[in-house]
Amino acid sequence: ILLQVAFKMYLGVTPSVSCLSAAGNEFSLILDKNPLVDFVEELPAERASLCYSNLLCGVIRGALEMVHLAAEVTFLQDRLKGDAVTEIGITFLRKAEDRKHKR
């Protein structure tokens, strides 16, 4: 729920969450509307592999690292590539080790 609130606060959209694995370490965020691509009409042919909204993956991964969770965050579907929705896959790899600072 906190993730949905953060998306609503910063991007103005609320993603739906779907679980991908029985272990509970994988899930997807599905955005019906991606405000980062509102003003992008079509990617040029020579840049077809560009993932325009990859910024979102970096932000999510960085936020998870701040709370000591290692995760792989990737785009599964992208509206700019002709998909119906934008889908971001998140897989928790392991709990990052707490680093104790020496004084």
Side-chain angles (χ1 to χ4, degrees), residues 81-98:
K81 308 242 182 194
D83 297 318
V85 295
T86 298
E87 182 177 3
I88 301 171
I90 301 173
T91 303
F92 291 110
L93 302 173
R94 59 177 165 65
K95 182 177 178 181
E97 297 177 16
D98 292 340

Side-chain angles (χ1 to χ4, degrees), residues 5-76:
V5 171
F7 264 86
K8 183 68 173 172
M9 283 176 42
Y10 294 109
L11 294 175
V13 296
T14 303
S16 57
V17 180
S18 67
C19 188
L20 296 176
S21 72
N25 66 337
E26 289 183 49
F27 64 96
S28 286
L29 298 176
I30 300 171
L31 299 166
D32 293 327
K33 181 179 182 247
N34 182 355
L36 295 181
V37 299
D38 281 348
F39 302 104
V40 178
E41 292 182 14
E42 187 177 316
L43 292 174
E46 63 273 2
R47 301 284 186 232
S49 64
L50 177 68
C51 195
Y52 188 78
S53 297
N54 211 25
L55 171 75
L56 293 175
C57 293
V59 169
I60 293 168
R61 182 175 173 220
L64 290 171
E65 285 179 359
M66 293 299 293
V67 293
H68 304 287
L69 293 171
E72 182 179 310
V73 184
T74 57
F75 266 94
L76 302 176

